[in-house]
């Protein structure tokens, strides 16, 4: 399989060329961060317009850098959802036109399954059979969830956020701290300059029947944390911003790690832990997860940074690692696409 993959669900226009067994020949990402920064978040109309502008050169560059030619390709994989519908449509239309022109199969892909499959870009993930069941912490800008992967393409939902995602808490928290978008890396950098080790924000680990109903056995919650930050800043305007960033990041990351610990304590079958999505780039999160898995004697699968944030290589990894049916007609962009192969416990 020689696959061209396209990702355009949010503010990155990306294309990649991959082959089976999983190997990335090229991965090109054009980020729109600078375009959206003045607005403090992603503006959907602007994103769609920028995708249309960037797609032609991003696609050309991905094929050129791969060393293959257009006629070598035998499949196209494109993100179908979730995401911004006009942005998804740009990538789907480009990919569909290429697949029709080259008379090759077209694979619609779920964006979050792309993030899940990015764990196979980890150096520690050579043999999928030995890693499963794997506990995957999925932490993107819009989603926070823990899944038990019994095999690539088979997932059980263990828990998810009942309100904001961890990435969203960082992005919104950064705004309150008057830092630019996206907030995660900004908070991380600022926190590094703090000499304080004080922590005072609460962990977002709700309990009770209602939380379990909405968030599964291991629910997360981050909206209260964001409110605590707002109130703290109002009451303590003179506290050094880097100390606040340190304490806030600590609360977000320790909330995530606490839930992973809860699962590992309850489920002794888990053979590895993986962390995927943009927030997986965070060093505090990685250090704490590493400490935890060491106690349990299992590996932590860390994904190279370029495959944590949105990219097309992870989208191409889905038809390579799992069985995906090619589309027989143009698939509609679906902002609320459900993850296939997902069982609720
Ligand atoms: O997975 P991703 O690129 O996009 C979505 O699918 O949402 O994740 C973006 C999120 C943003 O919330 C951003 O603030 C966060 O990842 N992020 C980080 C770091 N780098 C990006 N969060 C914490 N630490 C980082 N170093
Ligand atoms: Zn993403």
């Amino acid at each position: 399989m020689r696959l061209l993959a396209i990702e355009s669900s949010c503010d990155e226009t990306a294309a990649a060329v991959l082959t089976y067994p999983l190997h990335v020949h090229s991965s090109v990402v054009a980020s729109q961060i600078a375009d959206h920064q003045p607005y403090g978040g992603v503006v959907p109309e602007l994103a769609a317009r920028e995708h249309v502008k960037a797609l032609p050169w991003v696609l050309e560059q991905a094929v050129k850098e791969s060393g293959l030619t257009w006629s070598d390709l035998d499949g196209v994989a494109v993100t179908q959802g979730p995401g911004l519908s006009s942005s998804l449509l740009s990538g789907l239309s480009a990919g569909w036109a290429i697949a029709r022109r080259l008379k090759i199969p077209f694979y619609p892909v779920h964006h979050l399954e792309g993030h899940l499959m990015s764990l196979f870009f980890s150096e520690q993930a050579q043999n999928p059979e030995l890693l499963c069941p794997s506990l995957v912490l999925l932490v993107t800008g819009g989603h926070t969830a823990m899944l038990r992967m019994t095999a690539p393409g088979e997932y059980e939902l263990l828990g998810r956020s009942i309100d904001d995602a961890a990435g969203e808490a960082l992005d919104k928290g950064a705004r309150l701290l008057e830092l630019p978008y996206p907030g995660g890396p900004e908070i991380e950098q600022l926190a590094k300059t703090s000499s304080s080790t004080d922590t005072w924000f609460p962990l977002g680990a709700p309990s009770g029947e209602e939380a379990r109903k909405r968030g599964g056995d291991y629910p997360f919650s981050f909206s209260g944390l964001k409110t605590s930050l707002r109130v703290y800043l109002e009451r303590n305007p003179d506290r050094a911003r880097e100390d606040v960033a340190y304490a806030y990041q600590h609360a977000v990351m320790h909330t995530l790690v606490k839930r992973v610990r809860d699962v590992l304590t309850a489920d002794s079958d888990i053979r590895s832990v993986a962390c995927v999505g943009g927030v997986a780039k965070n060093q505090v999160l990685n250090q704490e997860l590493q400490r935890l898995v060491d106690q349990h004697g299992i590996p932590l699968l860390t994904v190279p940074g370029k495959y944590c944030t949105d990219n097309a290589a992870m989208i191409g990894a889905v038809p390579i690692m799992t069985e995906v049916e090619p589309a027989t007609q143009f698939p509609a962009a679906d902002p609320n696409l459900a993850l296939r192969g997902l069982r609720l416990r």
Side-chain angles (χ1 to χ4, degrees):
M1 194 185 249
R2 293 177 297 264
L3 202 65
L4 173 69
I6 302 174
E7 154 62 35
S8 70
S9 66
C10 191
D11 59 347
E12 260 92 30
T13 317
V17 174
L18 300 90
T19 50
Y20 179 92
L22 188 61
H23 179 73
V24 183
H25 290 263
S26 64
S27 175
V28 179
V29 180
S31 171
Q32 302 177 4
I33 286 177
D35 301 298
H36 298 283
Q37 228 155 24
Y39 307 96
V42 178
V43 182
E45 294 79 13
L46 185 59
R49 206 171 338 129
E50 293 302 316
H51 285 308
V52 172
K53 270 200 245 163
L55 271 165
W57 71 261
V58 168
L59 285 162
E60 280 292 347
Q61 196 172 323
V63 174
K64 197 165 152 213
E65 283 180 12
S66 74
L68 303 181
T69 64
W70 289 97
S71 55
D72 291 329
L73 298 173
D74 52 21
V76 181
V78 184
T79 308
Q80 185 188 6
L84 303 168
S85 56
S86 50
S87 290
L88 291 163
L89 188 59
S90 317
L92 284 167
S93 312
W96 183 256
I98 293 166
R100 287 289 77 97
R101 172 77 176 76
L102 299 175
K103 299 190 172 58
I104 54 178
F106 179 95
Y107 303 98
V109 171
H110 192 288
H111 180 80
L112 295 181
E113 192 166 24
H115 277 296
L116 294 177
M117 289 303 103
S118 74
L119 72 85
F120 291 108
F121 296 131
S122 166
E123 264 180 34
Q124 302 93 321
Q126 297 312 321
N127 192 341
E129 278 94 79
L130 296 181
L131 302 171
C132 292
S134 182
L135 167 57
V136 191
L137 176 63
L138 171 75
V139 271
T140 70
H143 294 84
T144 294
M146 280 192 306
L147 299 113
R148 190 176 190 272
M149 180 175 81
T150 41
E154 283 174 30
Y155 321 103
E156 281 171 3
L157 182 69
L158 300 172
R160 66 175 158 216
S161 176
I162 59 172
D163 41 54
D164 291 354
E168 203 174 342
L170 292 165
D171 294 336
K172 290 178 176 170
R175 263 197 198 207
L176 294 171
L177 287 162
E178 294 168 6
L179 296 168
Y181 172 86
E186 296 289 337
I187 290 183
E188 179 166 34
Q189 287 316 317
L190 183 60
K192 274 187 192 157
T193 65
S194 167
S195 51
S196 153
T197 49
D198 290 356
T199 56
W200 60 85
F201 290 113
L203 301 194
S207 56
E209 205 37 50
E210 187 55 28
R212 283 166 68 99
K213 222 193 293 169
R214 286 160 53 207
D217 287 348
Y218 302 90
F220 299 92
S221 165
F222 290 99
S223 66
L225 183 58
K226 183 190 61 198
T227 309
S228 306
L229 173 62
R230 190 171 45 71
V231 172
Y232 185 85
L233 288 172
E234 280 163 14
R235 292 190 185 154
N236 302 274
D238 298 329
R239 182 80 200 236
R241 293 281 137 139
E242 58 270 28
D243 296 351
V244 184
Y246 176 88
Y248 189 70
Q249 171 177 254
H250 181 276
V252 173
M253 302 311 161
H254 281 256
T255 295
L256 296 169
V257 175
K258 177 192 174 340
R259 284 308 194 202
V260 174
R261 181 181 298 114
D262 291 345
V263 176
L264 292 183
T265 307
D267 185 347
S268 55
D269 287 347
I270 300 285
R271 295 172 87 173
S272 65
V273 173
C275 187
V276 301
V279 182
K281 274 187 163 172
N282 189 273
Q283 287 174 14
V284 174
L285 178 59
N286 278 294
Q287 281 160 8
E288 292 302 318
L289 286 175
Q290 188 65 55
R291 205 194 310 249
L292 178 62
V293 298
D294 286 349
Q295 286 164 7
H296 287 263
I298 55 174
L300 173 68
L301 313 179
T302 49
V303 179
K306 63 181 175 181
Y307 299 132
C308 288
T309 37
D310 287 349
N311 66 90
M314 68 182 195
I315 300 303
V318 175
I320 288 182
M321 295 305 298
T322 70
E323 297 283 327
V324 182
E325 284 298 314
T328 49
Q329 45 184 310
F330 182 67
D334 187 347
N336 303 310
L337 188 65
L339 181 61
R340 72 194 174 108
L342 180 68
R343 284 199 300 128
L344 302 176
R345 296 238 284 197

